[in-house]
Amino acid sequence: MGRLTRRGFLGAAGVTALAGCTELSTSSAGDAGGDSGRATGTDATAACPSAVTDGSPPPGSASVGSGDPFPTAEAQLPLPMSPSALREEARSGGPPKDGIPSIDEPQFVGADDAPFLSDRDVVFGVVRDGVATAYPQRILASHEIVNDTLAGTPVAVTYCPLTGTAMGFYRGSTTFGVSGRLINNNLVMYDRATETWWPQILATAIPGRWNENPDVRSLREFRLVWARWHDWRTQHPDTRVLSTETGYARNYNSDPYGSYTPLSGYYEGGPTMFPDLSDDDRFDEKAVVMGARTPEGAAAFRKRSLREQGLMTGELAGTSIVAVHDPRYDTGYVYQNPAERSFSVDADCGRVLGDGERYAPDSLPLARVYTFDAMWFAWDGYYPDSTVYE
Amino acid sequence: MSQTSGRLDGLGRALSRTREATLLTVRRRDAAAVFLATTLAYLLAYLWAIGHLAPGLGGFELLVVDGALAQFLQQARGPLAFRPVARVSVGPLTYLFSLNTAIGAVIAGLVGLNLALSYLAYTSPAACGIGSQSAGLFASLPALLSGSACCGPVILIVLGIQASGVLLSAFQFLLPVAVLALLGSLVLVGRQVSVQAV
């Protein structure tokens, strides 16, 4: 599939999305709220409080397709090509359907009962109703999907090792499984109610072997924070952690792809495991970007640059955006900033200054856009028209 | 016709000598030692290659999953890669038990026999032929390479090679190819062993 074709479809999808949605995507809507820690006025002089926003309120009745077993977004997210063309890009990763088994009855332990985690281990964190939960990368590398319930809301916590993406989805009354297919090296999930294929990063239904003609719509998402265990635990001493008692006999000390502690193997660099859709080599394929996308478009900030600069500005689908690094977790947040308000970073306290007030990096008084870590090739392959900043 | 008949006779003799030589490995203590040591070493190497024997999280534990029998034949990471149904943690090492242990044991046994027969052929004064003693070692390699991980063989990461559909398909055949190669190599070596001479 040629690049022009993909770009053409992205543009068409964007126009369609614009016609049906005037607000941020459900993604971004879903990325607001939660246990935000906003420090203003006198709070600004206090020690930096711990806080992170997981995202979203539980899905309400506004979800499109209320008869569906899962809530879907009000507007479809952009695709790099037509859904049927995406299906043609799907390839077997080796395992059959559910050959990589999702965790469907997760158990949790306290932070003190998780000696299997070292300080530098990667966890995917979320806070819901004041309860912090960490999902260790070393467990998800073997399962990729955890069908969980957070504060009474059924969710799917997902991770694709080959694209370095951790994303949360509302799953309604169904569960998600691993199809065994990959597109752009990215996990293709399937829901067990309609057997529709859902490429993880795209979060949008495409035709597949088990459901040839699904309604093309997007899932509702919530943010997972990619963090080191030490950082997460420091901010959330009472966090619970996904237990290694998953119901499966696995060696959770063994990641077949490599390691993040220290960085090695597939994660360190080199070629992708399978052919990808990216043809932009401005960065190393495995370089990490903080990607933000709405139904209108996409933007990415190189994570290393964001870490160094603390705050970066850019544009997403014609609207000004601001990206902020959060040193507490070494992650980033992207906000829409249509009024182009001025912000700066107080590096001493990891706060953002704006309008004479100080804000936690996850709590600027702006609409936040759903943002996640991704390897460069994965982002560029799926969002070739994305604006990119470094 | 007579040529075909002659070939069949030759094959029959080779198989017969291989069978006798195989039995000899049991009777000769030194050959049996070679067989056992090689079999064990290869099985450990195979389990290591497929990730079923590796450094673990520590501690001492035996875990058997619910419905182990039902899961025993379930395909996991790819063709001929089956779902582990038990985990044994012994200090720094963790072993995962699956049908692949049985598959590995069969291949390891063939490798062990190959080496034991090569040993007999080498020590037998009546042995002849050049190079076929080492055929078993080469034949043992495909099975080691078949150790695959989810979404692609680990060996590809090590070599920095991108997986293609053709390559993945080829990996499916590594185990069967290994078994056939080991059987062929066994006959090649076994026919050189003169039971009377050793």
Side-chain angles (χ1 to χ4, degrees):
Chain A
M1 178 59 67
R3 193 168 179 87
L4 282 175
T5 308
R6 290 197 279 132
R7 286 190 164 160
F9 189 80
L10 181 67
V15 170
T16 307
L18 278 169
C21 179
T22 54
E23 284 294 323
L24 291 181
S25 72
T26 50
S27 314
S28 53
D31 206 23
D35 299 339
S36 300
R38 176 180 170 181
T40 60
T42 54
D43 284 349
T45 60
C48 304
S50 65
V52 69
T53 304
D54 65 287
S56 49
S61 57
S63 302
V64 173
S66 55
D68 292 330
F70 41 78
T72 50
E74 293 171 11
Q76 183 203 313
L77 290 165
L79 298 177
M81 58 185 79
S82 72
S84 56
L86 275 167
R87 178 193 180 163
E88 297 305 312
E89 293 289 344
R91 65 180 67 235
S92 170
K97 181 184 185 183
D98 289 325
I100 298 173
S102 61
I103 299 174
D104 297 333
E105 296 177 11
Q107 297 182 43
F108 296 89
V109 295
D112 291 337
D113 297 319
F116 61 92
L117 288 176
S118 68
D119 283 352
R120 296 289 295 159
D121 271 359
V122 171
V123 297
F124 311 126
V126 61
V127 179
R128 182 57 55 90
D129 281 2
V131 177
T133 305
Y135 300 88
Q137 181 270 342
R138 63 167 63 226
I139 297 179
L140 264 68
S142 294
H143 298 282
E144 303 194 0
I145 296 176
V146 181
N147 288 298
D148 199 1
T149 300
L150 294 175
T153 303
V155 299
V157 171
T158 68
Y159 167 62
C160 177
L162 296 184
T163 53
T165 43
M167 304 171 72
F169 300 101
Y170 293 104
R171 62 180 173 87
S173 60
T174 187
T175 56
F176 283 85
V178 179
S179 72
R181 268 73 173 177
L182 299 169
I183 300 175
N184 193 28
N185 288 269
N186 184 226
L187 157 70
V188 176
M189 313 180 295
Y190 79 96
D191 73 80
R192 293 184 173 126
T194 69
E195 303 238 304
T196 297
W197 283 1
W198 303 88
Q200 182 212 28
I201 292 177
L202 299 175
T204 300
I206 64 167
R209 189 173 174 182
W210 313 312
N211 188 337
E212 302 277 356
N213 193 27
D215 291 338
V216 178
R217 54 252 168 105
S218 301
L219 293 171
R220 295 197 60 183
E221 306 165 305
F222 66 92
R223 172 77 185 264
L224 294 169
V225 174
W226 180 301
R228 299 288 180 174
W229 170 234
H230 172 269
D231 296 340
W232 182 260
R233 188 178 181 180
T234 298
Q235 299 298 324
H236 305 281
D238 296 327
T239 187
R240 58 184 198 145
V241 184
L242 180 66
S243 165
T244 56
E245 300 303 319
T246 58
Y248 297 96
R250 290 288 189 278
N251 181 354
Y252 295 115
N253 190 49
S254 178
D255 182 334
Y257 304 108
S259 168
Y260 280 100
T261 54
L263 198 61
S264 64
Y266 177 86
Y267 307 128
E268 187 180 19
T272 54
M273 184 70 82
F274 299 92
D276 58 71
L277 299 177
S278 171
D279 56 8
D280 186 334
D281 59 0
R282 79 180 84 177
F283 304 135
D284 181 273
E285 288 180 305
K286 311 289 177 59
V288 179
V289 297
M290 299 300 305
R293 46 126 170 87
T294 68
E296 293 79 31
F301 296 84
R302 190 169 189 187
K303 191 171 185 178
R304 189 175 75 186
S305 305
L306 186 60
R307 184 185 298 124
E308 290 168 356
Q309 299 176 36
L311 186 147
M312 298 170 74
T313 57
E315 195 173 273
L316 194 163
T319 301
S320 292
I321 54 175
V322 57
V324 182
H325 180 249
D326 189 339
R328 295 170 301 178
Y329 308 98
D330 186 25
T331 191
Y333 302 94
V334 176
Y335 299 84
Q336 288 200 328
N337 188 18
E340 300 191 5
R341 293 164 65 179
S342 179
F343 294 94
S344 62
V345 171
D346 177 359
D348 291 340
C349 200
R351 293 285 171 179
V352 179
L353 307 177
D355 303 329
E357 295 192 351
R358 293 185 178 188
Y359 303 95
D362 61 340
S363 302
L364 268 60
L366 299 170
R368 220 166 81 189
V369 184
Y370 182 79
T371 307
F372 54 91
D373 296 66
M375 292 179 186
W376 166 243
F377 79 86
W379 184 262
D380 181 60
Y382 272 156
Y383 303 107
D385 283 341
S386 168
T387 49
V388 183
Y389 301 94
E390 66 170 325
Chain B
M1 188 69 178
S2 61
Q3 201 175 18
T4 307
S5 173
R7 282 178 180 169
L8 285 176
D9 285 347
L11 179 62
R13 277 195 302 275
L15 289 175
S16 175
R17 291 188 76 161
T18 302
R19 186 172 60 247
E20 290 171 8
T22 301
L23 291 173
L24 187 62
T25 59
V26 181
R27 293 203 302 270
R28 281 246 324 231
R29 191 171 289 180
D30 53 349
V34 170
F35 168 73
L36 287 175
T38 308
T39 299
L40 183 63
Y42 189 88
L43 179 59
L44 292 176
Y46 173 79
L47 291 173
W48 191 277
I50 65 171
H52 285 194
L53 183 67
L57 295 174
F60 294 86
E61 177 203 47
L62 169 62
L63 168 82
V64 180
V65 302
D66 292 340
L69 277 178
Q71 292 192 43
F72 193 62
L73 294 177
Q74 276 193 1
Q75 193 183 326
R77 300 172 306 184
L80 296 176
F82 295 91
R83 184 172 287 188
V85 295
R87 180 176 66 208
V88 182
S89 300
V90 183
L93 275 182
T94 292
Y95 161 64
L96 303 178
F97 175 70
S98 74
L99 187 55
N100 284 98
T101 294
I103 292 172
V106 169
I107 296 169
L110 285 171
V111 174
L113 266 181
N114 264 278
L115 218 68
L117 291 190
S118 294
Y119 169 77
L120 285 176
Y122 181 74
T123 55
S124 162
C128 60
I130 299 171
S132 53
Q133 287 95 335
S134 58
L137 286 179
F138 290 109
S140 69
L141 290 178
L144 283 181
L145 292 177
S146 74
S148 63
C150 51
C151 306
V154 164
I155 189 74
L156 299 185
I157 297 176
V158 175
L159 298 177
I161 300 172
Q162 199 169 61
S164 65
V166 174
L167 200 56
L168 278 186
S169 300
F171 267 82
Q172 298 178 27
F173 295 107
L174 283 177
L175 269 179
V177 163
V179 171
L180 288 175
L182 285 167
L183 286 172
S185 157
L186 198 63
V187 175
L188 274 178
V189 181
R191 68 176 182 167
Q192 300 173 69
V193 179
S194 170
V195 175
Q196 287 75 25
V198 292

mmCIF file of all heavy atoms in Angstrom, chain A residues 184-219:
data_model
loop_
_atom_site.group_PDB
_atom_site.id
_atom_site.type_symbol
_atom_site.label_atom_id
_atom_site.label_comp_id
_atom_site.label_asym_id
_atom_site.label_seq_id
_atom_site.Cartn_x
_atom_site.Cartn_y
_atom_site.Cartn_z
ATOM 1 N N ASN A 184 1.587 -3.624 11.383
ATOM 2 C CA ASN A 184 2.624 -2.646 11.731
ATOM 3 C C ASN A 184 3.341 -3.086 13.015
ATOM 4 O O ASN A 184 3.728 -2.262 13.834
ATOM 5 C CB ASN A 184 1.979 -1.258 11.904
ATOM 6 C CG ASN A 184 2.987 -0.124 11.964
ATOM 7 O OD1 ASN A 184 4.061 -0.226 11.401
ATOM 8 N ND2 ASN A 184 2.630 0.935 12.672
ATOM 9 N N ASN A 185 3.471 -4.401 13.196
ATOM 10 C CA ASN A 185 4.066 -5.017 14.394
ATOM 11 C C ASN A 185 3.223 -4.813 15.644
ATOM 12 O O ASN A 185 3.647 -5.143 16.750
ATOM 13 C CB ASN A 185 5.478 -4.477 14.674
ATOM 14 C CG ASN A 185 6.504 -4.988 13.682
ATOM 15 O OD1 ASN A 185 7.137 -6.019 13.901
ATOM 16 N ND2 ASN A 185 6.654 -4.293 12.574
ATOM 17 N N ASN A 186 2.056 -4.239 15.495
ATOM 18 C CA ASN A 186 1.238 -3.883 16.648
ATOM 19 C C ASN A 186 0.176 -4.953 16.922
ATOM 20 O O ASN A 186 -0.441 -5.488 15.995
ATOM 21 C CB ASN A 186 0.560 -2.524 16.377
ATOM 22 C CG ASN A 186 -0.249 -2.017 17.548
ATOM 23 O OD1 ASN A 186 -1.380 -1.565 17.380
ATOM 24 N ND2 ASN A 186 0.303 -2.072 18.743
ATOM 25 N N LEU A 187 -0.002 -5.216 18.194
ATOM 26 C CA LEU A 187 -1.013 -6.156 18.669
ATOM 27 C C LEU A 187 -2.376 -5.891 18.037
ATOM 28 O O LEU A 187 -2.849 -4.755 18.018
ATOM 29 C CB LEU A 187 -1.117 -6.008 20.200
ATOM 30 C CG LEU A 187 -2.398 -6.442 20.901
ATOM 31 C CD1 LEU A 187 -2.536 -7.957 20.876
ATOM 32 C CD2 LEU A 187 -2.398 -5.948 22.357
ATOM 33 N N VAL A 188 -2.978 -6.948 17.503
ATOM 34 C CA VAL A 188 -4.377 -6.858 17.069
ATOM 35 C C VAL A 188 -5.212 -7.628 18.088
ATOM 36 O O VAL A 188 -5.093 -8.841 18.218
ATOM 37 C CB VAL A 188 -4.580 -7.449 15.661
ATOM 38 C CG1 VAL A 188 -6.054 -7.422 15.278
ATOM 39 C CG2 VAL A 188 -3.759 -6.671 14.640
ATOM 40 N N MET A 189 -6.005 -6.885 18.838
ATOM 41 C CA MET A 189 -6.874 -7.502 19.838
ATOM 42 C C MET A 189 -8.152 -7.978 19.147
ATOM 43 O O MET A 189 -8.437 -7.605 18.016
ATOM 44 C CB MET A 189 -7.239 -6.484 20.919
ATOM 45 C CG MET A 189 -6.062 -5.672 21.456
ATOM 46 S SD MET A 189 -6.531 -4.489 22.720
ATOM 47 C CE MET A 189 -7.575 -3.352 21.809
ATOM 48 N N TYR A 190 -8.911 -8.788 19.832
ATOM 49 C CA TYR A 190 -10.261 -9.072 19.354
ATOM 50 C C TYR A 190 -11.178 -9.089 20.567
ATOM 51 O O TYR A 190 -10.743 -9.403 21.685
ATOM 52 C CB TYR A 190 -10.320 -10.397 18.589
ATOM 53 C CG TYR A 190 -10.348 -11.628 19.464
ATOM 54 C CD1 TYR A 190 -11.550 -12.244 19.810
ATOM 55 C CD2 TYR A 190 -9.162 -12.165 19.975
ATOM 56 C CE1 TYR A 190 -11.568 -13.364 20.625
ATOM 57 C CE2 TYR A 190 -9.177 -13.282 20.788
ATOM 58 C CZ TYR A 190 -10.390 -13.879 21.108
ATOM 59 O OH TYR A 190 -10.412 -14.977 21.928
ATOM 60 N N ASP A 191 -12.413 -8.666 20.357
ATOM 61 C CA ASP A 191 -13.353 -8.739 21.477
ATOM 62 C C ASP A 191 -14.111 -10.055 21.385
ATOM 63 O O ASP A 191 -14.407 -10.536 20.282
ATOM 64 C CB ASP A 191 -14.307 -7.535 21.473
ATOM 65 C CG ASP A 191 -15.350 -7.628 20.367
ATOM 66 O OD1 ASP A 191 -16.347 -8.347 20.549
ATOM 67 O OD2 ASP A 191 -15.153 -6.990 19.317
ATOM 68 N N ARG A 192 -14.374 -10.633 22.519
ATOM 69 C CA ARG A 192 -14.943 -11.981 22.531
ATOM 70 C C ARG A 192 -16.455 -11.990 22.342
ATOM 71 O O ARG A 192 -17.058 -13.062 22.276
ATOM 72 C CB ARG A 192 -14.553 -12.692 23.834
ATOM 73 C CG ARG A 192 -13.041 -12.962 23.885
ATOM 74 C CD ARG A 192 -12.605 -13.737 25.103
ATOM 75 N NE ARG A 192 -11.202 -14.105 25.014
ATOM 76 C CZ ARG A 192 -10.282 -13.846 25.937
ATOM 77 N NH1 ARG A 192 -10.638 -13.201 27.049
ATOM 78 N NH2 ARG A 192 -9.036 -14.214 25.775
ATOM 79 N N ALA A 193 -17.052 -10.807 22.216
ATOM 80 C CA ALA A 193 -18.491 -10.759 21.952
ATOM 81 C C ALA A 193 -18.771 -10.762 20.458
ATOM 82 O O ALA A 193 -19.603 -11.531 19.966
ATOM 83 C CB ALA A 193 -19.098 -9.512 22.597
ATOM 84 N N THR A 194 -18.084 -9.935 19.709
ATOM 85 C CA THR A 194 -18.342 -9.835 18.264
ATOM 86 C C THR A 194 -17.180 -10.381 17.438
ATOM 87 O O THR A 194 -17.284 -10.440 16.219
ATOM 88 C CB THR A 194 -18.579 -8.367 17.856
ATOM 89 O OG1 THR A 194 -17.335 -7.636 17.977
ATOM 90 C CG2 THR A 194 -19.619 -7.698 18.747
ATOM 91 N N GLU A 195 -16.090 -10.747 18.108
ATOM 92 C CA GLU A 195 -14.896 -11.288 17.436
ATOM 93 C C GLU A 195 -14.322 -10.310 16.411
ATOM 94 O O GLU A 195 -13.699 -10.705 15.419
ATOM 95 C CB GLU A 195 -15.204 -12.634 16.782
ATOM 96 C CG GLU A 195 -15.727 -13.674 17.751
ATOM 97 C CD GLU A 195 -14.880 -14.919 17.804
ATOM 98 O OE1 GLU A 195 -14.680 -15.517 16.750
ATOM 99 O OE2 GLU A 195 -14.421 -15.275 18.907
ATOM 100 N N THR A 196 -14.542 -9.039 16.657
ATOM 101 C CA THR A 196 -13.990 -8.004 15.782
ATOM 102 C C THR A 196 -12.512 -7.798 16.100
ATOM 103 O O THR A 196 -12.106 -7.873 17.250
ATOM 104 C CB THR A 196 -14.753 -6.676 16.006
ATOM 105 O OG1 THR A 196 -16.116 -6.877 15.641
ATOM 106 C CG2 THR A 196 -14.169 -5.544 15.173
ATOM 107 N N TRP A 197 -11.744 -7.512 15.057
ATOM 108 C CA TRP A 197 -10.334 -7.183 15.250
ATOM 109 C C TRP A 197 -10.197 -5.702 15.612
ATOM 110 O O TRP A 197 -10.824 -4.838 14.991
ATOM 111 C CB TRP A 197 -9.535 -7.443 13.971
ATOM 112 C CG TRP A 197 -9.245 -8.893 13.714
ATOM 113 C CD1 TRP A 197 -9.631 -9.960 14.471
ATOM 114 C CD2 TRP A 197 -8.499 -9.428 12.612
ATOM 115 N NE1 TRP A 197 -9.176 -11.129 13.913
ATOM 116 C CE2 TRP A 197 -8.465 -10.833 12.778
ATOM 117 C CE3 TRP A 197 -7.853 -8.863 11.528
ATOM 118 C CZ2 TRP A 197 -7.821 -11.675 11.872
ATOM 119 C CZ3 TRP A 197 -7.202 -9.702 10.626
ATOM 120 C CH2 TRP A 197 -7.189 -11.094 10.803
ATOM 121 N N TRP A 198 -9.331 -5.427 16.590
ATOM 122 C CA TRP A 198 -9.065 -4.060 17.047
ATOM 123 C C TRP A 198 -7.552 -3.872 17.133
ATOM 124 O O TRP A 198 -6.937 -4.275 18.129
ATOM 125 C CB TRP A 198 -9.668 -3.808 18.428
ATOM 126 C CG TRP A 198 -11.140 -4.043 18.555
ATOM 127 C CD1 TRP A 198 -11.768 -5.212 18.850
ATOM 128 C CD2 TRP A 198 -12.171 -3.064 18.411
ATOM 129 N NE1 TRP A 198 -13.132 -5.030 18.893
ATOM 130 C CE2 TRP A 198 -13.406 -3.715 18.624
ATOM 131 C CE3 TRP A 198 -12.168 -1.689 18.121
ATOM 132 C CZ2 TRP A 198 -14.627 -3.046 18.566
ATOM 133 C CZ3 TRP A 198 -13.387 -1.020 18.065
ATOM 134 C CH2 TRP A 198 -14.591 -1.707 18.277
ATOM 135 N N PRO A 199 -6.915 -3.277 16.126
ATOM 136 C CA PRO A 199 -5.495 -2.933 16.284
ATOM 137 C C PRO A 199 -5.335 -2.004 17.491
ATOM 138 O O PRO A 199 -6.046 -0.996 17.601
ATOM 139 C CB PRO A 199 -5.154 -2.205 14.980
ATOM 140 C CG PRO A 199 -6.200 -2.643 14.001
ATOM 141 C CD PRO A 199 -7.441 -2.861 14.814
ATOM 142 N N GLN A 200 -4.408 -2.355 18.366
ATOM 143 C CA GLN A 200 -4.339 -1.671 19.660
ATOM 144 C C GLN A 200 -4.171 -0.163 19.527
ATOM 145 O O GLN A 200 -4.945 0.611 20.098
ATOM 146 C CB GLN A 200 -3.186 -2.247 20.485
ATOM 147 C CG GLN A 200 -3.066 -1.635 21.876
ATOM 148 C CD GLN A 200 -1.617 -1.569 22.364
ATOM 149 O OE1 GLN A 200 -0.685 -1.487 21.573
ATOM 150 N NE2 GLN A 200 -1.438 -1.609 23.679
ATOM 151 N N ILE A 201 -3.134 0.274 18.786
ATOM 152 C CA ILE A 201 -2.864 1.711 18.722
ATOM 153 C C ILE A 201 -4.005 2.453 18.032
ATOM 154 O O ILE A 201 -4.424 3.513 18.466
ATOM 155 C CB ILE A 201 -1.528 1.970 17.982
ATOM 156 C CG1 ILE A 201 -0.366 1.444 18.829
ATOM 157 C CG2 ILE A 201 -1.340 3.455 17.690
ATOM 158 C CD1 ILE A 201 1.005 1.585 18.155
ATOM 159 N N LEU A 202 -4.535 1.873 16.968
ATOM 160 C CA LEU A 202 -5.621 2.533 16.240
ATOM 161 C C LEU A 202 -6.915 2.530 17.036
ATOM 162 O O LEU A 202 -7.765 3.403 16.861
ATOM 163 C CB LEU A 202 -5.837 1.856 14.888
ATOM 164 C CG LEU A 202 -4.643 1.896 13.931
ATOM 165 C CD1 LEU A 202 -4.932 1.083 12.673
ATOM 166 C CD2 LEU A 202 -4.302 3.342 13.565
ATOM 167 N N ALA A 203 -7.091 1.523 17.907
ATOM 168 C CA ALA A 203 -8.256 1.430 18.797
ATOM 169 C C ALA A 203 -9.568 1.462 18.016
ATOM 170 O O ALA A 203 -10.583 1.936 18.518
ATOM 171 C CB ALA A 203 -8.222 2.551 19.842
ATOM 172 N N THR A 204 -9.509 0.990 16.805
ATOM 173 C CA THR A 204 -10.662 1.096 15.905
ATOM 174 C C THR A 204 -10.922 -0.246 15.228
ATOM 175 O O THR A 204 -9.971 -0.952 14.857
ATOM 176 C CB THR A 204 -10.384 2.187 14.839
ATOM 177 O OG1 THR A 204 -10.162 3.432 15.515
ATOM 178 C CG2 THR A 204 -11.556 2.339 13.877
ATOM 179 N N ALA A 205 -12.193 -0.574 15.069
ATOM 180 C CA ALA A 205 -12.560 -1.866 14.492
ATOM 181 C C ALA A 205 -12.171 -1.941 13.022
ATOM 182 O O ALA A 205 -12.318 -0.967 12.271
ATOM 183 C CB ALA A 205 -14.067 -2.079 14.631
ATOM 184 N N ILE A 206 -11.689 -3.095 12.634
ATOM 185 C CA ILE A 206 -11.440 -3.351 11.214
ATOM 186 C C ILE A 206 -11.994 -4.740 10.887
ATOM 187 O O ILE A 206 -12.158 -5.572 11.791
ATOM 188 C CB ILE A 206 -9.940 -3.282 10.857
ATOM 189 C CG1 ILE A 206 -9.167 -4.390 11.593
ATOM 190 C CG2 ILE A 206 -9.355 -1.911 11.161
ATOM 191 C CD1 ILE A 206 -7.757 -4.587 11.061
ATOM 192 N N PRO A 207 -12.255 -5.004 9.622
ATOM 193 C CA PRO A 207 -12.719 -6.343 9.267
ATOM 194 C C PRO A 207 -11.623 -7.365 9.562
ATOM 195 O O PRO A 207 -10.441 -7.054 9.451
ATOM 196 C CB PRO A 207 -12.974 -6.261 7.759
ATOM 197 C CG PRO A 207 -12.867 -4.845 7.388
ATOM 198 C CD PRO A 207 -12.126 -4.126 8.458
ATOM 199 N N GLY A 208 -12.053 -8.534 9.928
ATOM 200 C CA GLY A 208 -11.087 -9.586 10.215
ATOM 201 C C GLY A 208 -11.647 -10.935 9.862
ATOM 202 O O GLY A 208 -12.769 -11.050 9.351
ATOM 203 N N ARG A 209 -10.868 -11.925 10.154
ATOM 204 C CA ARG A 209 -11.223 -13.280 9.759
ATOM 205 C C ARG A 209 -12.499 -13.774 10.430
ATOM 206 O O ARG A 209 -13.229 -14.568 9.872
ATOM 207 C CB ARG A 209 -10.067 -14.195 10.126
ATOM 208 C CG ARG A 209 -10.155 -15.583 9.603
ATOM 209 C CD ARG A 209 -8.864 -16.316 9.902
ATOM 210 N NE ARG A 209 -8.946 -17.715 9.547
ATOM 211 C CZ ARG A 209 -7.965 -18.585 9.753
ATOM 212 N NH1 ARG A 209 -6.852 -18.186 10.307
ATOM 213 N NH2 ARG A 209 -8.111 -19.843 9.413
ATOM 214 N N TRP A 210 -12.752 -13.264 11.635
ATOM 215 C CA TRP A 210 -13.884 -13.790 12.397
ATOM 216 C C TRP A 210 -15.091 -12.865 12.380
ATOM 217 O O TRP A 210 -16.143 -13.205 12.878
ATOM 218 C CB TRP A 210 -13.459 -14.060 13.842
ATOM 219 C CG TRP A 210 -12.156 -14.805 13.904
ATOM 220 C CD1 TRP A 210 -11.828 -15.928 13.178
ATOM 221 C CD2 TRP A 210 -10.993 -14.474 14.656
ATOM 222 N NE1 TRP A 210 -10.545 -16.312 13.454
ATOM 223 C CE2 TRP A 210 -10.005 -15.454 14.363
ATOM 224 C CE3 TRP A 210 -10.690 -13.462 15.568
ATOM 225 C CZ2 TRP A 210 -8.734 -15.423 14.950
ATOM 226 C CZ3 TRP A 210 -9.430 -13.443 16.146
ATOM 227 C CH2 TRP A 210 -8.474 -14.415 15.838
ATOM 228 N N ASN A 211 -14.891 -11.655 11.885
ATOM 229 C CA ASN A 211 -16.002 -10.718 11.710
ATOM 230 C C ASN A 211 -15.676 -9.881 10.487
ATOM 231 O O ASN A 211 -14.878 -8.952 10.551
ATOM 232 C CB ASN A 211 -16.180 -9.839 12.954
ATOM 233 C CG ASN A 211 -17.444 -8.991 12.867
ATOM 234 O OD1 ASN A 211 -17.954 -8.723 11.778
ATOM 235 N ND2 ASN A 211 -17.958 -8.567 14.013
ATOM 236 N N GLU A 212 -16.314 -10.241 9.397
ATOM 237 C CA GLU A 212 -15.944 -9.641 8.109
ATOM 238 C C GLU A 212 -16.478 -8.220 7.932
ATOM 239 O O GLU A 212 -15.960 -7.467 7.121
ATOM 240 C CB GLU A 212 -16.496 -10.511 6.959
ATOM 241 C CG GLU A 212 -16.007 -11.953 6.965
ATOM 242 C CD GLU A 212 -14.639 -12.103 6.314
ATOM 243 O OE1 GLU A 212 -14.134 -11.094 5.794
ATOM 244 O OE2 GLU A 212 -14.082 -13.217 6.367
ATOM 245 N N ASN A 213 -17.511 -7.886 8.676
ATOM 246 C CA ASN A 213 -18.157 -6.602 8.401
ATOM 247 C C ASN A 213 -18.572 -5.879 9.686
ATOM 248 O O ASN A 213 -19.752 -5.616 9.913
ATOM 249 C CB ASN A 213 -19.386 -6.851 7.502
ATOM 250 C CG ASN A 213 -19.929 -5.572 6.926
ATOM 251 O OD1 ASN A 213 -19.192 -4.598 6.751
ATOM 252 N ND2 ASN A 213 -21.230 -5.550 6.656
ATOM 253 N N PRO A 214 -17.612 -5.536 10.505
ATOM 254 C CA PRO A 214 -17.981 -4.843 11.748
ATOM 255 C C PRO A 214 -18.256 -3.365 11.491
ATOM 256 O O PRO A 214 -17.810 -2.811 10.475
ATOM 257 C CB PRO A 214 -16.718 -5.003 12.600
ATOM 258 C CG PRO A 214 -15.622 -4.989 11.588
ATOM 259 C CD PRO A 214 -16.160 -5.690 10.368
ATOM 260 N N ASP A 215 -18.986 -2.743 12.395
ATOM 261 C CA ASP A 215 -19.120 -1.289 12.337
ATOM 262 C C ASP A 215 -17.757 -0.693 12.662
ATOM 263 O O ASP A 215 -17.136 -1.072 13.657
ATOM 264 C CB ASP A 215 -20.136 -0.799 13.364
ATOM 265 C CG ASP A 215 -21.548 -1.237 12.995
ATOM 266 O OD1 ASP A 215 -21.770 -1.516 11.805
ATOM 267 O OD2 ASP A 215 -22.404 -1.312 13.902
ATOM 268 N N VAL A 216 -17.313 0.218 11.816
ATOM 269 C CA VAL A 216 -15.996 0.816 12.055
ATOM 270 C C VAL A 216 -16.152 1.960 13.046
ATOM 271 O O VAL A 216 -16.673 3.021 12.724
ATOM 272 C CB VAL A 216 -15.374 1.316 10.734
ATOM 273 C CG1 VAL A 216 -14.024 1.985 11.016
ATOM 274 C CG2 VAL A 216 -15.201 0.161 9.766
ATOM 275 N N ARG A 217 -15.739 1.712 14.270
ATOM 276 C CA ARG A 217 -15.791 2.753 15.310
ATOM 277 C C ARG A 217 -14.638 2.509 16.260
ATOM 278 O O ARG A 217 -13.952 1.493 16.176
ATOM 279 C CB ARG A 217 -17.120 2.719 16.075
ATOM 280 C CG ARG A 217 -17.443 1.348 16.666
ATOM 281 C CD ARG A 217 -18.571 0.701 15.904
ATOM 282 N NE ARG A 217 -18.701 -0.716 16.267
ATOM 283 C CZ ARG A 217 -19.640 -1.193 17.027
ATOM 284 N NH1 ARG A 217 -20.537 -0.383 17.530
ATOM 285 N NH2 ARG A 217 -19.690 -2.462 17.308
ATOM 286 N N SER A 218 -14.444 3.453 17.148
ATOM 287 C CA SER A 218 -13.276 3.398 18.029
ATOM 288 C C SER A 218 -13.691 3.100 19.458
ATOM 289 O O SER A 218 -14.783 3.474 19.898
ATOM 290 C CB SER A 218 -12.515 4.725 17.980
ATOM 291 O OG SER A 218 -12.106 5.003 16.655
ATOM 292 N N LEU A 219 -12.790 2.464 20.150
ATOM 293 C CA LEU A 219 -13.026 2.166 21.562
ATOM 294 C C LEU A 219 -12.802 3.413 22.411
ATOM 295 O O LEU A 219 -12.124 4.353 22.001
ATOM 296 C CB LEU A 219 -12.065 1.067 22.028
ATOM 297 C CG LEU A 219 -12.269 -0.322 21.428
ATOM 298 C CD1 LEU A 219 -11.114 -1.240 21.806
ATOM 299 C CD2 LEU A 219 -13.600 -0.919 21.913
#
